[in-house]
Amino acid sequence: MADMSLAEELTCSICLELFKVPVTTPCGHNFCGSCLGETWTVKGPPYQCPQCRAEFQERPRLHKNTVLCTVVEQFQQAELARATPPDDWTPPARAANPRPAGQVSCDHCLKATAVKTCLVCMASFCEEHLRPHLDSPAFRDHSLQPPVHDLLHRKCPQHNRLRDFFCPEHSECICHVCLVEHKTCSPVPLSQASADLEAKLKHKLTVMYGQINGASRALEDVRARQQDVREAAQRKLEQLRQEYLEMKALIDASEASSTRKIKEEEKRVSSKFDTIYQILLKKKSEIQTMKEEIEVALTQGGEFEFLEKAAKLQAVSTKPVYVPKVELNHELVKGVCQGAADLKHELKRCLRQSQEKKPEEPADPGDSAEYVKAPTLKLPRPGKKVVKEEKKSKKPATAVSSNKFSASEELEKLSDLEQALSEAAAKATTTKPNSASLKAKVLENFLAKSRPELLEFS
């Protein structure tokens, strides 16, 4: 992992290879000189750093980072030394004298098979036509060798001589006449050049084998890191889903609580209206009955009977119908609605803050598994004080006892209770500015009464 991190630090982010003639920008980032130059040439001003996007109005003059060059060279040497193939692997050996397919024909008769090739005549001969080279003293200094299959290819096109030397500087085969032109070079015989290049190719093959192994390890590391990132992202998504589920549950619970409060208040007021309606209905029935009795008394019977009935009917009280004022607890409803509005504004504010906040880039891809918690929402409790007072006010609101009192007496006592409360509240508002505390005090004094006293106002 240390070598992988060092390799990442020594890799150009443009070409994704090790630095070649690295240069450093004014913002402190390193790139290959050629890569950065091509990038800036294509894009033009303003010149930006490909990594941090820092802008420069004028093209900076960059210099070679010699220290980084040395580090890259040492890293490459260490990688070459570490790139060792397995013990059972050996580089393939080149054939010593590869035999080309087919036979060489005699250049004289073009029929028989050649047995020798003359490097002076630059021709191949069969046994019959080779005889002059063997018998005549004139051909004694001609060099003979086994038949050369590619004789025309081995000829020097300029001097028509066999190319027996190799020039490493120009990477070409030359003849002994070409040595004059390559006197500043270091030509070597073909056999020596072939042996040197064979050794170099075997070493390069060994290095490439190690590089292939390193690339395989890098591929596995990339896949492993990709899998780690995928798993970390999945864990984040699951945690995020749980957070949002909890927030939704809290919002649903707040909605249910607010809805329940308003429904309870509606039920309380509606029950009062039902009670008043039943009392008024009973009162109307009693008045209707009394009216009929009076009409009958006025139209029927003698004076004695009339006096008896009229005296009884006159004694019955016939006060006008009074409907007490019953309303919703507007403070409670307003508090619940205000709490919902506050919750909505708080949620919007938290969402805006989370969107405006710039995410910090992780220093290492492995740190991506850390979880950033979502902002916690504090759900307000609207109308809490009002609810407590409402609960206290519910204590005297008992069921109406229609069996003990008549409809007229119940209406009278309800009207007296409403008038007493309103007079006490009005008096409290005129004496002291804090009317809410005075109302609460009047209510406490009312609730401090005994049960028989409270039943008088049922």
PDB file of all heavy atoms in Angstrom, residues 173-202:
ATOM      1  N   CYS A 173      22.234  -2.459 -39.975  1.00  0.00           N
ATOM      2  CA  CYS A 173      23.357  -3.318 -40.351  1.00  0.00           C
ATOM      3  C   CYS A 173      24.120  -2.656 -41.508  1.00  0.00           C
ATOM      4  O   CYS A 173      23.511  -2.129 -42.448  1.00  0.00           O
ATOM      5  CB  CYS A 173      22.872  -4.698 -40.776  1.00  0.00           C
ATOM      6  SG  CYS A 173      22.057  -5.618 -39.451  1.00  0.00           S
ATOM      7  N   ILE A 174      25.463  -2.722 -41.467  1.00  0.00           N
ATOM      8  CA  ILE A 174      26.313  -2.080 -42.474  1.00  0.00           C
ATOM      9  C   ILE A 174      27.366  -3.083 -42.948  1.00  0.00           C
ATOM     10  O   ILE A 174      27.620  -4.102 -42.297  1.00  0.00           O
ATOM     11  CB  ILE A 174      26.977  -0.816 -41.904  1.00  0.00           C
ATOM     12  CG1 ILE A 174      27.835  -1.170 -40.690  1.00  0.00           C
ATOM     13  CG2 ILE A 174      25.913   0.247 -41.571  1.00  0.00           C
ATOM     14  CD1 ILE A 174      28.594   0.011 -40.092  1.00  0.00           C
ATOM     15  N   CYS A 175      27.938  -2.747 -44.089  1.00  0.00           N
ATOM     16  CA  CYS A 175      29.034  -3.574 -44.622  1.00  0.00           C
ATOM     17  C   CYS A 175      30.373  -2.978 -44.213  1.00  0.00           C
ATOM     18  O   CYS A 175      30.415  -1.914 -43.583  1.00  0.00           O
ATOM     19  CB  CYS A 175      28.919  -3.680 -46.138  1.00  0.00           C
ATOM     20  SG  CYS A 175      29.140  -2.112 -46.990  1.00  0.00           S
ATOM     21  N   HIS A 176      31.481  -3.647 -44.630  1.00  0.00           N
ATOM     22  CA  HIS A 176      32.788  -3.150 -44.198  1.00  0.00           C
ATOM     23  C   HIS A 176      33.159  -1.861 -44.917  1.00  0.00           C
ATOM     24  O   HIS A 176      33.986  -1.086 -44.433  1.00  0.00           O
ATOM     25  CB  HIS A 176      33.861  -4.223 -44.438  1.00  0.00           C
ATOM     26  CG  HIS A 176      34.043  -4.563 -45.876  1.00  0.00           C
ATOM     27  ND1 HIS A 176      33.208  -5.428 -46.548  1.00  0.00           N
ATOM     28  CD2 HIS A 176      34.972  -4.129 -46.793  1.00  0.00           C
ATOM     29  CE1 HIS A 176      33.610  -5.530 -47.822  1.00  0.00           C
ATOM     30  NE2 HIS A 176      34.671  -4.741 -47.982  1.00  0.00           N
ATOM     31  N   VAL A 177      32.514  -1.581 -46.064  1.00  0.00           N
ATOM     32  CA  VAL A 177      32.775  -0.315 -46.735  1.00  0.00           C
ATOM     33  C   VAL A 177      32.069   0.833 -45.996  1.00  0.00           C
ATOM     34  O   VAL A 177      32.550   1.959 -45.960  1.00  0.00           O
ATOM     35  CB  VAL A 177      32.316  -0.390 -48.215  1.00  0.00           C
ATOM     36  CG1 VAL A 177      32.617   0.917 -48.936  1.00  0.00           C
ATOM     37  CG2 VAL A 177      32.998  -1.551 -48.910  1.00  0.00           C
ATOM     38  N   CYS A 178      30.903   0.539 -45.434  1.00  0.00           N
ATOM     39  CA  CYS A 178      30.156   1.570 -44.698  1.00  0.00           C
ATOM     40  C   CYS A 178      30.838   1.987 -43.408  1.00  0.00           C
ATOM     41  O   CYS A 178      30.425   2.972 -42.777  1.00  0.00           O
ATOM     42  CB  CYS A 178      28.748   1.075 -44.375  1.00  0.00           C
ATOM     43  SG  CYS A 178      27.719   0.734 -45.824  1.00  0.00           S
ATOM     44  N   LEU A 179      31.864   1.235 -42.976  1.00  0.00           N
ATOM     45  CA  LEU A 179      32.554   1.594 -41.735  1.00  0.00           C
ATOM     46  C   LEU A 179      33.187   2.968 -41.822  1.00  0.00           C
ATOM     47  O   LEU A 179      33.355   3.645 -40.802  1.00  0.00           O
ATOM     48  CB  LEU A 179      33.622   0.543 -41.416  1.00  0.00           C
ATOM     49  CG  LEU A 179      33.106  -0.847 -41.001  1.00  0.00           C
ATOM     50  CD1 LEU A 179      34.263  -1.813 -40.821  1.00  0.00           C
ATOM     51  CD2 LEU A 179      32.309  -0.738 -39.707  1.00  0.00           C
ATOM     52  N   VAL A 180      33.562   3.375 -43.051  1.00  0.00           N
ATOM     53  CA  VAL A 180      34.175   4.695 -43.208  1.00  0.00           C
ATOM     54  C   VAL A 180      33.165   5.797 -42.845  1.00  0.00           C
ATOM     55  O   VAL A 180      33.507   6.783 -42.200  1.00  0.00           O
ATOM     56  CB  VAL A 180      34.683   4.870 -44.659  1.00  0.00           C
ATOM     57  CG1 VAL A 180      35.319   6.251 -44.847  1.00  0.00           C
ATOM     58  CG2 VAL A 180      35.702   3.793 -44.982  1.00  0.00           C
ATOM     59  N   GLU A 181      31.921   5.593 -43.258  1.00  0.00           N
ATOM     60  CA  GLU A 181      30.889   6.591 -42.964  1.00  0.00           C
ATOM     61  C   GLU A 181      30.485   6.588 -41.485  1.00  0.00           C
ATOM     62  O   GLU A 181      29.997   7.588 -40.966  1.00  0.00           O
ATOM     63  CB  GLU A 181      29.661   6.348 -43.838  1.00  0.00           C
ATOM     64  CG  GLU A 181      29.954   6.439 -45.329  1.00  0.00           C
ATOM     65  CD  GLU A 181      28.738   6.108 -46.165  1.00  0.00           C
ATOM     66  OE1 GLU A 181      27.676   5.821 -45.539  1.00  0.00           O
ATOM     67  OE2 GLU A 181      28.819   6.135 -47.399  1.00  0.00           O
ATOM     68  N   HIS A 182      30.650   5.426 -40.844  1.00  0.00           N
ATOM     69  CA  HIS A 182      30.261   5.293 -39.425  1.00  0.00           C
ATOM     70  C   HIS A 182      31.489   5.257 -38.516  1.00  0.00           C
ATOM     71  O   HIS A 182      31.495   4.556 -37.492  1.00  0.00           O
ATOM     72  CB  HIS A 182      29.450   4.001 -39.241  1.00  0.00           C
ATOM     73  CG  HIS A 182      28.127   4.013 -39.942  1.00  0.00           C
ATOM     74  ND1 HIS A 182      26.959   4.363 -39.334  1.00  0.00           N
ATOM     75  CD2 HIS A 182      27.803   3.726 -41.230  1.00  0.00           C
ATOM     76  CE1 HIS A 182      25.957   4.277 -40.187  1.00  0.00           C
ATOM     77  NE2 HIS A 182      26.448   3.882 -41.356  1.00  0.00           N
ATOM     78  N   LYS A 183      32.556   6.016 -38.912  1.00  0.00           N
ATOM     79  CA  LYS A 183      33.775   5.975 -38.117  1.00  0.00           C
ATOM     80  C   LYS A 183      33.583   6.611 -36.732  1.00  0.00           C
ATOM     81  O   LYS A 183      34.304   6.261 -35.791  1.00  0.00           O
ATOM     82  CB  LYS A 183      34.909   6.662 -38.872  1.00  0.00           C
ATOM     83  CG  LYS A 183      34.633   8.115 -39.204  1.00  0.00           C
ATOM     84  CD  LYS A 183      35.782   8.708 -40.027  1.00  0.00           C
ATOM     85  CE  LYS A 183      35.484  10.164 -40.420  1.00  0.00           C
ATOM     86  NZ  LYS A 183      36.579  10.741 -41.223  1.00  0.00           N
ATOM     87  N   THR A 184      32.621   7.525 -36.609  1.00  0.00           N
ATOM     88  CA  THR A 184      32.366   8.110 -35.276  1.00  0.00           C
ATOM     89  C   THR A 184      31.464   7.238 -34.417  1.00  0.00           C
ATOM     90  O   THR A 184      31.285   7.514 -33.230  1.00  0.00           O
ATOM     91  CB  THR A 184      31.716   9.494 -35.437  1.00  0.00           C
ATOM     92  OG1 THR A 184      30.507   9.370 -36.175  1.00  0.00           O
ATOM     93  CG2 THR A 184      32.665  10.448 -36.169  1.00  0.00           C
ATOM     94  N   CYS A 185      30.870   6.224 -35.015  1.00  0.00           N
ATOM     95  CA  CYS A 185      30.001   5.314 -34.254  1.00  0.00           C
ATOM     96  C   CYS A 185      30.823   4.179 -33.668  1.00  0.00           C
ATOM     97  O   CYS A 185      32.059   4.153 -33.767  1.00  0.00           O
ATOM     98  CB  CYS A 185      28.885   4.777 -35.158  1.00  0.00           C
ATOM     99  SG  CYS A 185      27.888   6.066 -35.929  1.00  0.00           S
ATOM    100  N   SER A 186      30.124   3.245 -33.066  1.00  0.00           N
ATOM    101  CA  SER A 186      30.795   2.085 -32.465  1.00  0.00           C
ATOM    102  C   SER A 186      30.206   0.814 -33.038  1.00  0.00           C
ATOM    103  O   SER A 186      29.473   0.081 -32.348  1.00  0.00           O
ATOM    104  CB  SER A 186      30.644   2.105 -30.943  1.00  0.00           C
ATOM    105  OG  SER A 186      31.171   3.289 -30.416  1.00  0.00           O
ATOM    106  N   PRO A 187      30.453   0.534 -34.325  1.00  0.00           N
ATOM    107  CA  PRO A 187      29.888  -0.684 -34.924  1.00  0.00           C
ATOM    108  C   PRO A 187      30.540  -1.935 -34.353  1.00  0.00           C
ATOM    109  O   PRO A 187      31.718  -1.938 -33.979  1.00  0.00           O
ATOM    110  CB  PRO A 187      30.176  -0.507 -36.405  1.00  0.00           C
ATOM    111  CG  PRO A 187      31.342   0.409 -36.479  1.00  0.00           C
ATOM    112  CD  PRO A 187      31.263   1.302 -35.307  1.00  0.00           C
ATOM    113  N   VAL A 188      29.745  -2.979 -34.248  1.00  0.00           N
ATOM    114  CA  VAL A 188      30.215  -4.268 -33.734  1.00  0.00           C
ATOM    115  C   VAL A 188      29.772  -5.354 -34.706  1.00  0.00           C
ATOM    116  O   VAL A 188      28.838  -5.154 -35.504  1.00  0.00           O
ATOM    117  CB  VAL A 188      29.643  -4.541 -32.326  1.00  0.00           C
ATOM    118  CG1 VAL A 188      30.197  -3.559 -31.307  1.00  0.00           C
ATOM    119  CG2 VAL A 188      28.125  -4.462 -32.337  1.00  0.00           C
ATOM    120  N   PRO A 189      30.425  -6.514 -34.665  1.00  0.00           N
ATOM    121  CA  PRO A 189      29.992  -7.612 -35.541  1.00  0.00           C
ATOM    122  C   PRO A 189      28.552  -8.026 -35.234  1.00  0.00           C
ATOM    123  O   PRO A 189      28.024  -7.788 -34.138  1.00  0.00           O
ATOM    124  CB  PRO A 189      30.991  -8.715 -35.229  1.00  0.00           C
ATOM    125  CG  PRO A 189      32.190  -8.005 -34.694  1.00  0.00           C
ATOM    126  CD  PRO A 189      31.676  -6.803 -33.973  1.00  0.00           C
ATOM    127  N   LEU A 190      27.973  -8.668 -36.229  1.00  0.00           N
ATOM    128  CA  LEU A 190      26.560  -9.059 -36.074  1.00  0.00           C
ATOM    129  C   LEU A 190      26.355 -10.009 -34.919  1.00  0.00           C
ATOM    130  O   LEU A 190      25.378  -9.933 -34.191  1.00  0.00           O
ATOM    131  CB  LEU A 190      26.054  -9.684 -37.377  1.00  0.00           C
ATOM    132  CG  LEU A 190      25.945  -8.759 -38.587  1.00  0.00           C
ATOM    133  CD1 LEU A 190      25.407  -9.533 -39.788  1.00  0.00           C
ATOM    134  CD2 LEU A 190      25.042  -7.587 -38.292  1.00  0.00           C
ATOM    135  N   SER A 191      27.293 -10.939 -34.732  1.00  0.00           N
ATOM    136  CA  SER A 191      27.141 -11.937 -33.655  1.00  0.00           C
ATOM    137  C   SER A 191      27.172 -11.263 -32.296  1.00  0.00           C
ATOM    138  O   SER A 191      26.352 -11.551 -31.417  1.00  0.00           O
ATOM    139  CB  SER A 191      28.251 -12.986 -33.762  1.00  0.00           C
ATOM    140  OG  SER A 191      29.528 -12.350 -33.694  1.00  0.00           O
ATOM    141  N   GLN A 192      28.120 -10.318 -32.124  1.00  0.00           N
ATOM    142  CA  GLN A 192      28.193  -9.620 -30.834  1.00  0.00           C
ATOM    143  C   GLN A 192      26.972  -8.746 -30.612  1.00  0.00           C
ATOM    144  O   GLN A 192      26.399  -8.711 -29.511  1.00  0.00           O
ATOM    145  CB  GLN A 192      29.471  -8.779 -30.782  1.00  0.00           C
ATOM    146  CG  GLN A 192      29.656  -8.036 -29.458  1.00  0.00           C
ATOM    147  CD  GLN A 192      30.930  -7.214 -29.436  1.00  0.00           C
ATOM    148  OE1 GLN A 192      31.771  -7.336 -30.349  1.00  0.00           O
ATOM    149  NE2 GLN A 192      31.095  -6.410 -28.405  1.00  0.00           N
ATOM    150  N   ALA A 193      26.548  -8.016 -31.663  1.00  0.00           N
ATOM    151  CA  ALA A 193      25.360  -7.171 -31.535  1.00  0.00           C
ATOM    152  C   ALA A 193      24.127  -8.011 -31.248  1.00  0.00           C
ATOM    153  O   ALA A 193      23.263  -7.624 -30.443  1.00  0.00           O
ATOM    154  CB  ALA A 193      25.161  -6.348 -32.802  1.00  0.00           C
ATOM    155  N   SER A 194      24.050  -9.156 -31.899  1.00  0.00           N
ATOM    156  CA  SER A 194      22.906 -10.029 -31.657  1.00  0.00           C
ATOM    157  C   SER A 194      22.891 -10.527 -30.218  1.00  0.00           C
ATOM    158  O   SER A 194      21.838 -10.572 -29.561  1.00  0.00           O
ATOM    159  CB  SER A 194      22.949 -11.202 -32.634  1.00  0.00           C
ATOM    160  OG  SER A 194      21.887 -12.093 -32.385  1.00  0.00           O
ATOM    161  N   ALA A 195      24.077 -10.881 -29.684  1.00  0.00           N
ATOM    162  CA  ALA A 195      24.139 -11.356 -28.297  1.00  0.00           C
ATOM    163  C   ALA A 195      23.767 -10.238 -27.314  1.00  0.00           C
ATOM    164  O   ALA A 195      23.036 -10.461 -26.340  1.00  0.00           O
ATOM    165  CB  ALA A 195      25.537 -11.897 -28.005  1.00  0.00           C
ATOM    166  N   ASP A 196      24.296  -9.000 -27.576  1.00  0.00           N
ATOM    167  CA  ASP A 196      23.982  -7.880 -26.675  1.00  0.00           C
ATOM    168  C   ASP A 196      22.477  -7.560 -26.671  1.00  0.00           C
ATOM    169  O   ASP A 196      21.862  -7.384 -25.613  1.00  0.00           O
ATOM    170  CB  ASP A 196      24.776  -6.652 -27.095  1.00  0.00           C
ATOM    171  CG  ASP A 196      26.278  -6.839 -26.892  1.00  0.00           C
ATOM    172  OD1 ASP A 196      26.650  -7.760 -26.137  1.00  0.00           O
ATOM    173  OD2 ASP A 196      27.053  -6.072 -27.494  1.00  0.00           O
ATOM    174  N   LEU A 197      21.905  -7.467 -27.888  1.00  0.00           N
ATOM    175  CA  LEU A 197      20.486  -7.163 -27.957  1.00  0.00           C
ATOM    176  C   LEU A 197      19.635  -8.280 -27.378  1.00  0.00           C
ATOM    177  O   LEU A 197      18.577  -8.029 -26.785  1.00  0.00           O
ATOM    178  CB  LEU A 197      20.086  -6.899 -29.412  1.00  0.00           C
ATOM    179  CG  LEU A 197      20.565  -5.567 -29.985  1.00  0.00           C
ATOM    180  CD1 LEU A 197      20.149  -5.439 -31.440  1.00  0.00           C
ATOM    181  CD2 LEU A 197      20.001  -4.402 -29.190  1.00  0.00           C
ATOM    182  N   GLU A 198      20.084  -9.514 -27.529  1.00  0.00           N
ATOM    183  CA  GLU A 198      19.340 -10.627 -26.938  1.00  0.00           C
ATOM    184  C   GLU A 198      19.317 -10.534 -25.425  1.00  0.00           C
ATOM    185  O   GLU A 198      18.274 -10.737 -24.783  1.00  0.00           O
ATOM    186  CB  GLU A 198      19.963 -11.947 -27.386  1.00  0.00           C
ATOM    187  CG  GLU A 198      19.214 -13.162 -26.851  1.00  0.00           C
ATOM    188  CD  GLU A 198      19.843 -14.462 -27.299  1.00  0.00           C
ATOM    189  OE1 GLU A 198      20.827 -14.429 -28.055  1.00  0.00           O
ATOM    190  OE2 GLU A 198      19.338 -15.530 -26.877  1.00  0.00           O
ATOM    191  N   ALA A 199      20.475 -10.164 -24.833  1.00  0.00           N
ATOM    192  CA  ALA A 199      20.528 -10.023 -23.377  1.00  0.00           C
ATOM    193  C   ALA A 199      19.634  -8.863 -22.921  1.00  0.00           C
ATOM    194  O   ALA A 199      18.910  -8.964 -21.919  1.00  0.00           O
ATOM    195  CB  ALA A 199      21.972  -9.789 -22.927  1.00  0.00           C
ATOM    196  N   LYS A 200      19.665  -7.744 -23.672  1.00  0.00           N
ATOM    197  CA  LYS A 200      18.829  -6.605 -23.300  1.00  0.00           C
ATOM    198  C   LYS A 200      17.338  -6.938 -23.411  1.00  0.00           C
ATOM    199  O   LYS A 200      16.534  -6.554 -22.555  1.00  0.00           O
ATOM    200  CB  LYS A 200      19.177  -5.411 -24.178  1.00  0.00           C
ATOM    201  CG  LYS A 200      20.549  -4.824 -23.896  1.00  0.00           C
ATOM    202  CD  LYS A 200      20.810  -3.624 -24.809  1.00  0.00           C
ATOM    203  CE  LYS A 200      22.187  -3.028 -24.532  1.00  0.00           C
ATOM    204  NZ  LYS A 200      22.481  -1.872 -25.430  1.00  0.00           N
ATOM    205  N   LEU A 201      16.971  -7.651 -24.476  1.00  0.00           N
ATOM    206  CA  LEU A 201      15.566  -8.018 -24.648  1.00  0.00           C
ATOM    207  C   LEU A 201      15.104  -8.977 -23.570  1.00  0.00           C
ATOM    208  O   LEU A 201      13.962  -8.891 -23.100  1.00  0.00           O
ATOM    209  CB  LEU A 201      15.344  -8.619 -26.036  1.00  0.00           C
ATOM    210  CG  LEU A 201      15.372  -7.633 -27.209  1.00  0.00           C
ATOM    211  CD1 LEU A 201      15.169  -8.368 -28.521  1.00  0.00           C
ATOM    212  CD2 LEU A 201      14.300  -6.563 -27.052  1.00  0.00           C
ATOM    213  N   LYS A 202      15.990  -9.903 -23.157  1.00  0.00           N
ATOM    214  CA  LYS A 202      15.617 -10.811 -22.070  1.00  0.00           C
ATOM    215  C   LYS A 202      15.399 -10.041 -20.773  1.00  0.00           C
ATOM    216  O   LYS A 202      14.446 -10.311 -20.024  1.00  0.00           O
ATOM    217  CB  LYS A 202      16.700 -11.874 -21.891  1.00  0.00           C
ATOM    218  CG  LYS A 202      16.719 -12.924 -22.991  1.00  0.00           C
ATOM    219  CD  LYS A 202      17.787 -13.973 -22.718  1.00  0.00           C
ATOM    220  CE  LYS A 202      17.776 -15.047 -23.804  1.00  0.00           C
ATOM    221  NZ  LYS A 202      18.813 -16.083 -23.579  1.00  0.00           N
TER     222      LYS A 202
END
